[in-house]
Amino acid sequence: MFDFDTVFSDLFVRDGRLWMIGPPFANLEPELRSSTFKWNKLDVSADIEFENLNRMSRASVPVDASNGLLEIDGPLGSWKVEVDELWDGLFRGSNLLVTQQKNNRLEWIAYWAFYNAQVNGVDSVVVYDNCSENYTAEKIDQILARIPGIQNHVVVKWDTPYGATGGPHNVWDSDFGQHISWEHARRAFADSAASCCVIDIDELPFCIDGSPLAEKLANSEKAAMFFNRQPIRQFPNRKDELRPSPRTHADFSLGEARGAWLAPKYIYAPARLPNQAQLLVHVIRDLGVQNEPEKEVRAGHFDSIRIRWRRGEKRQVENFESEDQIKEPVETVSVLDNNFDRLVPQWKELEARLKPFFEQQV
């Protein structure tokens, strides 16, 4: 079992359906299937649809009320849970940005949201905060509320464990937490959005022609657009040494000369996505078409906007002191340079307003 405790990470009602989303049922599936599920005292067990997906599972059932009492009784135990409907108007028609994170610096989160609002047409954000220790989830909420262009946002206090990472043999088959988050975001928040981009805090997408990513997807007929990531190395070639300020993505624009070769991330149009499709980290399963990366879209993957939590580290990655320390051939990524230059005046003003929040983190 995933963490020996979690059967469902969350339960909610959307559009007349009760969703129960969590880690793989695994050896608990027979017991769950033999349990009695009651919704407002009505036995709905026969109508429950159990689905086993890649590194996560979901169960759902049509319901005739937007909120009520769910009772589960069976071999695993007995539970009573009050379940409510999630309001579907918050992100209707929005261009949504979704991530899961823990302990990233608040200035990184701020710049990530700010950049995507100004460059990629994002107007809404959902952050799954995976039990950060350096600040509260409320601090992220306060930061996002002050980002120009972000009209709506939600910070989810997400205590579902991330799961095991790839290990020494790079076998990624037990990182359940992120897969559960993406499915939860799709069903709970993104279903009425115009677009949803799923990326990490250390990643900034950009279109080679300068157009907003959300607009490029909207003008296509695709259900999703995939883009490879280009490593941006940790020498701060853009840093203004005369103006001390917290490190952000905008300090770096030296990308590996071989271009965008890291596994892709994506943006998708919820209304175009097949219901059976599943959002994985780098691909969308059962999309119906190949997950081919776009040639004219990529993302910078910033080495310095990172804490090596997989190694148990708590401090941000140290910058190189000179460009000579970079082992790989690098070149300036001109599109990032241009985007960063354009955003400097507005970011300086925003940074000053957010400074009191930055100073409160550990």
Side-chain angles (χ1 to χ4, degrees):
M1 189 53 191
F2 174 40
D3 62 355
F4 302 103
D5 294 304
T6 304
V7 178
F8 300 118
S9 297
D10 196 19
L11 301 90
F12 57 91
V13 176
R14 277 302 291 266
D15 298 327
R17 196 166 191 88
L18 168 64
W19 291 96
M20 297 165 275
I21 294 174
F25 296 137
N27 60 319
L28 300 184
E29 184 172 356
E31 285 81 1
L32 282 171
R33 286 183 177 272
S34 64
S35 297
T36 299
F37 289 74
K38 291 184 178 180
W39 175 252
N40 291 333
K41 304 299 182 182
L42 177 66
D43 190 342
V44 295
S45 306
D47 298 321
I48 298 282
E49 182 179 0
F50 293 92
E51 298 176 89
N52 282 295
L53 302 174
N54 190 327
R55 282 166 275 188
M56 57 84 53
S57 299
R58 67 188 178 216
S60 64
V61 63
V63 293
D64 58 2
S66 60
N67 59 76
L69 178 67
L70 175 66
E71 299 174 82
I72 305 175
D73 183 66
L76 297 177
S78 300
W79 299 274
K80 292 183 178 181
V81 185
E82 293 284 348
V83 184
D84 210 344
E85 182 178 40
L86 291 176
W87 181 47
D88 67 354
L90 186 61
F91 299 120
R92 185 176 298 279
S94 67
N95 293 314
L96 185 61
L97 187 65
V98 173
T99 198
Q100 178 178 318
Q101 75 90 39
K102 180 175 182 175
N103 288 335
N104 279 290
R105 302 288 299 174
L106 291 174
E107 56 268 20
W108 300 351
I109 298 173
Y111 195 87
W112 170 83
F114 169 72
Y115 173 97
N116 280 293
Q118 305 305 313
V119 173
N120 286 318
V122 165
D123 55 37
S124 301
V125 178
V126 173
V127 173
Y128 286 80
D129 184 62
N130 206 193
C131 303
S132 289
E133 301 159 339
N134 296 347
Y135 43 77
T136 64
E138 286 75 14
K139 283 289 181 287
I140 304 174
D141 176 75
Q142 291 172 312
I143 292 285
L144 293 176
R146 290 162 171 79
I147 303 298
I150 300 301
Q151 299 172 13
N152 295 297
H153 71 274
V154 169
V155 179
V156 182
K157 293 182 178 180
W158 192 248
D159 60 0
T160 295
Y162 186 92
T165 55
H169 301 295
N170 202 32
V171 178
W172 289 83
D173 61 1
S174 301
D175 52 327
F176 307 109
Q178 207 168 20
H179 293 78
I180 300 167
S181 301
W182 298 168
E183 178 67 19
H184 184 274
R186 178 189 176 189
R187 305 295 178 178
F189 302 119
D191 59 344
S192 63
S195 68
C196 180
C197 184
V198 184
I199 55 170
D200 295 337
I201 300 296
D202 61 358
E203 297 166 341
L204 296 182
F206 58 91
C207 299
I208 302 299
D209 63 4
S211 61
L213 182 58
E215 179 181 295
K216 187 171 285 289
L217 176 65
N219 291 337
S220 75
E221 297 182 353
K222 298 179 179 180
M225 296 178 67
F226 299 84
F227 44 88
N228 284 335
R229 297 166 298 147
Q230 182 174 12
I232 307 298
R233 295 310 183 196
Q234 65 258 45
F235 174 67
N237 61 303
R238 294 177 46 85
K239 182 72 173 178
D240 183 355
E241 299 298 339
L242 299 178
R243 180 180 172 270
S245 62
R247 177 193 304 184
T248 68
H249 311 66
D251 295 335
F252 311 89
S253 65
L254 293 179
E256 277 199 21
R258 62 168 161 165
W261 59 271
L262 295 174
K265 294 297 180 73
Y266 54 81
I267 182 173
Y268 67 93
R272 301 175 188 170
L273 212 61
N275 185 60
Q276 75 275 10
Q278 184 194 356
L279 306 175
L280 304 183
V281 175
H282 299 293
V283 299
I284 300 179
R285 185 181 181 185
D286 296 330
L287 182 59
V289 296
Q290 288 188 328
N291 294 208
E292 289 294 331
E294 302 289 324
K295 294 181 179 179
E296 298 302 310
V297 183
R298 65 180 64 172
H301 185 261
F302 292 77
D303 287 354
S304 283
I305 307 301
R306 188 182 308 167
I307 295 170
R308 294 193 181 101
W309 55 269
R310 294 175 193 166
R311 303 181 186 179
E313 298 179 10
K314 300 256 177 119
R315 301 175 66 87
Q316 56 192 348
V317 171
E318 289 193 12
N319 286 334
F320 291 146
E321 295 182 359
S322 72
E323 186 177 337
D324 295 337
Q325 291 179 268
I326 303 175
K327 296 179 180 179
E328 304 83 0
V330 293
E331 60 187 13
T332 300
V333 181
S334 59
V335 178
L336 283 176
D337 253 357
N338 293 337
N339 288 338
F340 292 154
D341 286 344
R342 176 168 61 86
L343 298 179
V344 165
Q346 197 174 5
W347 172 248
K348 283 184 178 180
E349 180 182 340
L350 178 61
E351 182 186 47
R353 288 194 286 117
L354 295 178
K355 185 177 179 181
F357 298 103
F358 299 160
E359 292 176 341
Q360 293 176 38
Q361 63 192 324
V362 175

